Amino acid sequence: MSSGDTLFGRLLQRQRVAPPIAPDTVSTPGIGLQVHLDAHGGVIHLTGPLRHALAQQTPHAHPAPLTSYLMPDSCLSVEGTPEEWLGHSLDLDFQGLGGQPLHLRGWVQPLADTWLLQLLDIGDLLLERRQARIREQCQQLAAQANEQLRLCSLARLPEVLTEQLQCVAQRFQIPSIAIALLDEQGDGWQVLHHYTAFDAPDLWHDNQRLGTRLDSLNGSAPQQLSRSEHPRLQSLFGNADGFVVPYHDAQGVAAWLLCGLYPAQQRAPDMHDRDWLDLTAALAAPLLERLREHRHRLQLERMESLQTLLGTGWWELFDDTESVHLAPSLASTLGLGNAQLSLQEWLDHVHPAEREELNARLQALQNDSVALSLCVRLHRTDAAQTPIWYRLQGQAVGIGKHRRLIGFMLDISDIKNQQQDAAKAHARLDNLIASSPAVIYVQRYAEGVLHPTFFSDSLLPLLGLSLADCSVGALVERIHPEDRDQYFERTRLLLREGSVRARYRLRDSRGDYHWLLDEAKLLRDDLGLPVEAVGLWLDVTEATLAAEQVKQSEERYRILVEDSPAMICRYRPDLTLTFGNRPLATYLECQPEQLPGVNLGSWMSTEQREAFLMRLSDLSPECPVSSAEISLQLPGREHAWWVWSDRGVFDEQGRLLEVQAVGRDNTEVRRTQQQLTQSAKMATLGEMATGLAHEINQPLNVMRMAIVNVLKRLSSGDVQIDYLTDKLNRIDAQVQRAARVVDHMRVFGRRSEIEQHPFNPAHAIEGTLSLLADGMRGKGVELRVSEVDFEVQVRGYVDQLEQVLINLMVNARDALLAQRETNRELEPWIAVHAERDAQHVRLWVEDNGGGIDPRLLERIFEPFFTTKPVGVGTGLGLSVSYGIVENMGGRLSVSNSPQGARFCIELPILLEN
Ligand code: ADP
């Protein structure tokens, strides 16, 4: 309690502050209040204008005590009598109208027998003093809040704010207080922090969004909310007394101090609007500053990291100095030590290809403010490195000497390189399409119709057409009349199914039709409605025509095969026919349709079939063809001889899949050949007839001699049994000898059998000698025959090989005899010997008859070639012999030795399995 509050204190005050009383102010009835008192302090009457402001103007008692006019607090100040108050200043609170105190100050002065208490109104004075005190407190509070909020760490800012709100709330007895700021998007207000006294209801919470309701308030002064003026805000304040104080900054109202459940007028009557505004500013200004600063720093950090991540940064070019500033991050990405450099240095970092353009554009920006936007490459020492591209944009800002060019550089290498890759790919694709027989098109959908809107450039080279030539109507016009229905169907299908594949003919600019394979797809929008069709025309004219040609050619081949006189067939490796033409069917006495499934081997003997299969097994992908003469036993016929050629068809592993064969009937030729052989044989026989007469004469002579001798003995009667037996035996031997010759002649004279058989060629030599040896010797020709010391088998006809040997020996004999006519000294000989190797056996027939004129060597195997006189030589011997040896799979050849001719019969040895 201060000393002024006690009675004693008041008395002291009364004495101390008493003003001197000037005589001319003794009675001033025009101002203030004059109270006329009796000696005891009782009020006699009141004068002066202030008496109307008193609650009690006509007291009940008379004289009424002065205290009945005073507020209870002031009663103590007027104890005692007026005389005692003399010389003191009296501060008295009178009861005013409406219960309001009336602050008056005055003094007493004696009148004749009464006292006059002269009082002046000091209400204003007191109010001012109170207000000054409050303002001071308020300023203190504000300064404290301001300082705290400014200096605290950012992390503690919410806490400090709450503390400061609490201080304010407590100081001004505000039950609920909050500070609201514009939210970050600036589209409404938001409670930043609040403080609620423990006994007050919670009106708000932190971060509560308030919307734009506060915007309706007058932003220039604190205001008490009233139901009538601010109906929308009432609910925000719990429909109770709300008091709000705005805070302004350069951008307008930036914050509100919200005081809930707070009749400000009553609770803080001495607070001026100014005080509230200052207090609010003290809270909001540092707060906003801190928050803005924080946001700014975040923004900067984001920018920094964004620039680093994007490889971007600002640049700034000063007009007057021609120096360039770069964002530090940009400078370091560019590998520059310094973020400040001259324009020339900066330009030097740009690739020469773009340097001049950049310079020119910067000039244009500088002089004419033409906005700059350019893509440049960095100049790199190693040209092989992937280029680094930057997009450079800039604009001019400021005027006069403050004018500068600012902009940014953005690393667009990724995009640029991708762009270039894409451009390359695009170019390749364009090229591909342009050079391929394909056209890509787009047709836009509009009301059920597809309008061509795009064709790839290949349209012109391919069809000689342009987009204009392909409007809906024109396109239909160009389609071949026969194919139009297909085209309409294609469009219907495309719209219905979403994709289509069609084939039709389209007329090009020259009037030629192209077969087009059209594949299209329909693209739809989100709602599933058709937007456009994308498709591809593939020119398949050539393929179509080729297919047509293949078909035609196949048809021709089919006809060829059908009508061919040759037998044509296909069969599987097991000899089952899969196809055979008419001639084959005719031979086999059936219809061509009946051939598939028939086994070719069923017309062959076991041996023939084995030989046939053996031949097939030799076929290989490298050597797929084999020819042979095959003999078959056809139904109801004698043997047939076919010259047969097989071609194997193999799979990838080289396995035989099927055989295609062509054959011709060789039976007639074969018969003729056989007849020829036979005639040749007969000719040989005829030729041998002379020799044979001698052969047979010899035993006949021996027998005649024996018989003559026996008869002679019989007539002399001197017949001994032994002698007779001896002669008869001799005769018998000669008979046998003759019989043997005749027998062999008979065998030799027979036709060869149909099938070849294995035999030992040594037997043919023996057979030949049995026919010729004696005759030869009779002609004085020595036979030098070497023993055959090996045994082999060849396949063929033994009689035919004998015939060959006979021909050769007879020819040798003829040559020898002819030679001897000119050379009497000649000792003619014919040598016959045999040799073998692993695969072949060779029979040699040589003579010393002088040989064959080398000019004739090539011709002697020709049929009818002879050097002998007409009627002597037939010219068939060697040619038939040649055919026989060939037929046995062998070879007949001739050469000259120093003495004479040298013939060689080479035959394949039949290998035993
Ligand atoms: P031909 O004996 O009826 O003439 P060939 O075909 O047997 O018919 O013989 C053809 C020709 O070959 C003979 O006319 C002959 O000139 C020649 N010739 C054949 N063998 C011999 C040989 N050993 N020495 C010399 N010439 C020969």
Side-chain angles (χ1 to χ4, degrees):
M1 186 181 276
S2 74
S3 59
D5 290 339
T6 62
L7 173 61
F8 183 67
R10 287 216 182 100
L11 289 175
L12 278 180
Q13 201 178 27
R14 204 162 58 191
Q15 287 168 350
R16 264 201 317 273
V17 295
I21 298 164
D24 56 342
T25 59
V26 164
S27 178
T28 45
I31 55 159
L33 179 69
Q34 292 87 40
V35 184
H36 297 265
L37 300 166
D38 60 16
H40 305 289
V43 178
I44 304 165
H45 70 266
L46 302 169
T47 55
L50 278 180
R51 72 179 193 276
H52 302 295
L54 295 182
Q56 188 191 9
Q57 291 171 9
T58 345
H60 303 292
H62 194 80
L66 182 58
T67 52
S68 67
Y69 289 90
L70 298 179
M71 299 296 282
D73 279 357
S74 288
C75 293
L76 289 175
S77 309
V78 285
E79 283 184 354
T81 59
E83 195 178 357
E84 290 169 332
W85 308 338
L86 195 62
H88 294 284
S89 165
L90 294 171
D91 280 3
L92 299 174
D93 292 346
F94 281 77
Q95 290 180 21
L97 287 171
Q100 291 292 318
L102 206 56
H103 305 288
L104 302 179
R105 174 175 288 175
W107 56 93
V108 284
Q109 58 189 98
L111 295 179
D113 50 359
T114 55
W115 293 86
L116 175 67
L117 177 58
Q118 177 71 42
L119 293 158
L120 295 173
D121 186 353
I122 58 160
D124 287 350
L125 207 68
L126 288 181
L127 184 65
E128 260 170 41
R129 196 188 299 159
R130 231 179 17 249
Q131 282 178 338
R133 205 168 54 241
I134 278 216
R135 181 160 301 143
E136 198 179 319
Q137 284 175 358
C138 199
Q139 277 168 356
Q140 267 174 17
L141 200 61
Q144 172 202 320
N146 194 309
E147 189 180 319
Q148 296 266 349
L149 289 170
R150 245 178 241 290
L151 298 183
C152 72
S153 72
L154 205 62
R156 280 201 67 238
L157 191 63
E159 201 183 316
V160 172
L161 178 62
T162 315
E163 277 169 22
Q164 296 311 315
L165 283 176
Q166 185 178 357
C167 283
V168 173
Q170 285 169 349
R171 170 62 189 80
F172 298 103
Q173 290 152 25
I174 308 171
S176 192
I177 188 167
I179 194 148
L181 305 180
L182 274 175
D183 63 16
E184 289 202 11
Q185 288 76 41
D187 56 4
W189 296 91
Q190 191 175 10
V191 173
L192 183 69
H193 278 292
H194 78 291
Y195 168 79
T196 306
F198 72 96
D199 53 351
D202 269 329
L203 289 180
W204 307 298
H205 57 84
D206 289 354
N207 301 322
Q208 180 184 346
R209 289 189 172 277
L210 305 176
T212 53
R213 281 181 281 179
L214 291 169
D215 289 346
S216 62
L217 292 170
N218 170 11
S220 55
Q223 51 220 287
Q224 194 72 45
L225 301 181
S226 75
R227 202 174 292 265
S228 56
E229 271 180 72
H230 314 101
R232 289 173 66 222
L233 280 168
Q234 281 296 316
S235 62
L236 200 62
F237 289 83
N239 293 316
D241 297 307
F243 179 67
V244 290
V245 190
Y247 167 68
H248 265 276
D249 65 5
Q251 280 124 42
V253 181
W256 287 96
L257 184 71
L258 310 179
C259 305
L261 314 168
Y262 191 59
Q265 218 58 51
Q266 291 163 28
R267 297 278 179 81
D270 299 328
M271 281 287 277
H272 265 232
D273 281 1
R274 189 68 260 150
D275 300 328
W276 283 115
L277 288 173
D278 287 349
L279 186 65
T280 305
L283 287 168
L287 194 62
L288 282 169
E289 196 179 312
R290 297 291 302 264
L291 290 177
R292 277 181 193 145
E293 182 189 297
H294 178 56
R295 256 182 238 140
H296 183 62
R297 203 167 47 244
L298 286 182
Q299 194 69 13
L300 268 184
E301 279 170 14
R302 279 190 215 118
M303 285 286 288
E304 275 292 304
S305 63
L306 198 67
Q307 288 189 7
T308 319
L309 287 175
L310 285 179
T312 180
W314 52 262
W315 55 265
E316 201 166 336
L317 176 63
F318 294 92
D319 244 6
D320 47 352
T321 55
E322 291 240 314
S323 72
V324 181
H325 281 213
L326 298 180
S329 59
L330 180 63
S332 80
T333 354
L334 293 180
L336 300 172
N338 198 346
Q340 193 169 353
L341 63 171
S342 75
L343 177 60
Q344 193 49 51
E345 281 172 322
W346 192 39
L347 285 173
D348 286 346
H349 275 87
V350 174
H351 195 278
E354 283 92 30
R355 197 177 292 157
E356 278 320 304
E357 188 179 359
L358 175 60
N359 198 9
R361 295 290 194 90
L362 282 171
Q363 293 294 333
L365 176 59
Q366 218 156 16
N367 302 335
D368 310 318
S369 300
V370 181
L372 168 79
S373 174
L374 185 67
C375 293
V376 298
R377 248 169 308 176
L378 290 193
H379 186 35
R380 306 183 87 178
T381 39
D382 184 359
Q385 284 176 303
T386 346
I388 298 179
W389 283 91
Y390 274 92
R391 167 176 285 282
L392 230 143
Q393 284 191 313
Q395 60 182 23
V397 292
I399 43 168
K401 67 178 177 141
H402 296 298
R403 192 178 143 87
R404 59 203 213 282
L405 311 180
I406 56 175
F408 70 86
M409 280 175 84
L410 173 65
D411 185 344
I412 52 160
S413 305
D414 280 359
I415 301 169
K416 198 78 185 175
N417 291 334
Q418 274 171 17
Q419 223 173 37
Q420 283 183 342
D421 286 351
K424 271 188 233 156
H426 199 265
R428 278 200 293 270
L429 197 66
D430 272 354
N431 216 353
L432 197 72
I433 294 170
S435 60
S436 78
V439 176
I440 291 175
Y441 65 78
V442 177
Q443 295 180 318
R444 197 171 40 75
Y445 174 86
E447 296 171 345
V449 183
L450 290 169
H451 300 271
T453 52
F454 167 82
F455 285 99
S456 60
D457 293 344
S458 45
L459 182 66
L460 188 64
L462 201 69
L463 297 169
L465 301 177
S466 67
L467 178 61
D469 302 322
C470 295
S471 64
V472 187
L475 197 63
V476 172
E477 252 316 286
R478 292 198 165 270
I479 289 167
H480 195 287
E482 287 173 17
D483 298 345
R484 277 183 200 155
D485 283 351
Q486 268 149 279
Y487 181 74
F488 292 132
E489 182 57 25
R490 163 252 179 218
T491 307
R492 276 195 293 274
L493 253 178
L494 177 59
L495 292 177
R496 202 168 59 228
E497 308 286 334
S499 69
V500 79
R501 189 185 160 96
R503 186 191 272 266
Y504 46 82
R505 277 162 290 179
L506 191 83
R507 199 175 64 242
D508 68 10
S509 57
R510 292 185 317 196
D512 295 334
Y513 279 101
H514 291 248
W515 273 104
L516 296 183
L517 181 68
D518 180 358
E519 285 200 31
K521 220 175 158 54
L522 190 67
L523 306 181
R524 296 174 190 276
D525 64 11
D526 299 349
L527 302 173
L529 297 174
V531 178
E532 59 182 25
V534 180
L536 182 84
W537 275 344
L538 204 62
D539 188 338
V540 291
T541 312
E542 275 180 27
T544 309
L545 294 182
E548 192 65 24
Q549 277 169 1
V550 166
K551 220 168 102 187
Q552 284 171 6
S553 121
E554 263 179 6
E555 181 61 17
R556 278 199 296 273
Y557 277 111
R558 199 184 58 75
I559 293 169
L560 205 66
V561 167
E562 278 304 310
D563 297 354
S564 162
M567 296 173 281
I568 297 172
C569 68
R570 295 195 345 242
Y571 58 89
R572 286 201 283 269
D574 66 355
L575 307 188
T576 312
L577 285 169
T578 52
F579 165 81
N581 68 349
R582 184 161 293 283
L584 183 70
T586 312
Y587 272 101
L588 301 177
E589 297 186 343
C590 63
Q591 292 300 314
E593 310 79 76
Q594 295 172 311
L595 285 175
V598 171
N599 196 294
L600 209 55
S602 59
W603 289 288
M604 297 176 195
S605 69
T606 315
E607 275 185 356
Q608 285 166 341
R609 194 164 52 243
E610 275 170 12
F612 195 90
L613 288 171
M614 177 78 86
R615 204 170 45 81
L616 286 189
S617 68
D618 287 342
L619 295 181
S620 67
E622 293 74 37
C623 182
V625 180
S626 150
S627 296
E629 194 173 29
I630 60 170
S631 76
L632 300 161
Q633 183 64 55
L634 296 184
R637 287 216 210 171
E638 274 191 59
H639 264 85
W641 292 91
W642 289 353
V643 173
W644 196 249
S645 193
D646 294 298
R647 184 187 183 95
V649 178
F650 298 88
D651 68 7
E652 280 169 8
Q653 281 77 45
R655 284 186 301 238
L656 182 64
L657 291 179
E658 80 165 16
V659 181
Q660 298 174 346
V662 182
R664 104 185 121 72
D665 185 10
N666 205 33
T667 316
E668 281 309 308
V669 178
R670 190 68 186 202
R671 287 226 175 92
T672 322
Q673 254 174 14
Q674 275 179 349
Q675 276 164 6
L676 199 63
T677 315
Q678 194 59 22
S679 347
K681 214 189 263 178
M682 288 304 149
T684 312
L685 271 179
E687 252 181 81
M688 288 194 314
T690 1
L692 278 172
H694 174 77
E695 290 284 322
I696 295 181
N697 245 355
Q698 196 82 13
L700 285 178
N701 280 337
V702 175
M703 283 191 288
R704 213 184 75 223
M705 285 299 293
I707 289 168
V708 168
N709 289 343
V710 170
L711 285 176
K712 227 187 261 173
R713 285 288 177 97
L714 276 176
S715 62
S716 65
D718 179 19
V719 185
Q720 289 165 359
I721 289 295
D722 286 354
Y723 177 80
L724 204 60
T725 310
D726 178 47
K727 288 296 174 197
L728 283 176
N729 278 341
R730 186 173 293 183
I731 292 169
D732 186 42
Q734 292 307 311
V735 168
Q736 278 182 29
R737 182 180 163 192
R740 240 192 348 261
V741 171
V742 172
D743 204 33
H744 196 85
M745 291 271 298
R746 214 179 57 232
V747 170
F748 179 72
R750 262 207 312 259
R751 278 173 180 269
S752 298
E753 297 196 24
I754 296 296
E755 286 187 21
Q756 296 184 326
H757 292 290
F759 66 93
N760 187 345
H763 293 158
I765 297 178
E766 279 164 27
T768 307
L769 290 177
S770 75
L771 287 174
L772 294 183
D774 287 343
M776 290 288 178
R777 284 192 206 102
K779 290 275 191 305
V781 177
E782 181 195 352
L783 288 183
R784 300 179 178 173
V785 181
S786 321
E787 186 80 9
V788 180
D789 55 359
F790 55 84
E791 189 154 330
V792 291
Q793 299 275 304
V794 295
R795 181 182 284 279
Y797 311 96
V798 68
D799 58 324
Q800 290 190 353
L801 185 55
E802 272 178 23
Q803 191 184 348
V804 174
L805 285 167
I806 290 169
N807 280 337
L808 297 181
M809 286 178 71
V810 168
N811 278 348
R813 183 202 64 197
D814 291 346
L816 286 168
L817 297 183
Q819 187 73 6
R820 204 171 48 187
E821 281 181 12
T822 54
N823 178 9
R824 290 268 147 214
E825 303 298 304
L826 184 71
E827 289 181 0
W829 53 260
I830 299 176
V832 179
H833 69 275
E835 64 173 36
R836 65 162 292 186
D837 59 21
Q839 266 108 39
H840 295 100
V841 57
R842 277 177 285 274
L843 311 181
W844 294 93
V845 179
E846 292 185 58
D847 61 60
N848 63 340
I852 301 157
D853 184 335
R855 289 169 297 179
L856 304 180
L857 266 180
E858 283 182 7
R859 300 193 54 205
I860 56 166
F861 294 113
E862 285 175 13
F864 307 112
F865 175 83
T866 178
T867 56
K868 294 170 190 171
V870 184
V872 177
T874 59
L876 282 176
L878 284 181
S879 98
V880 168
S881 300
Y882 189 91
I884 290 172
V885 176
E886 199 178 43
N887 200 28
M888 289 172 72
R891 217 165 69 90
L892 176 63
S893 58
V894 64
S895 60
N896 279 325
S897 76
Q899 285 91 14
R902 228 179 144 191
F903 284 85
C904 174
I905 305 165
E906 187 184 68
L907 295 170
I909 294 174
L910 199 60
L911 297 170
E912 285 170 30
N913 303 329

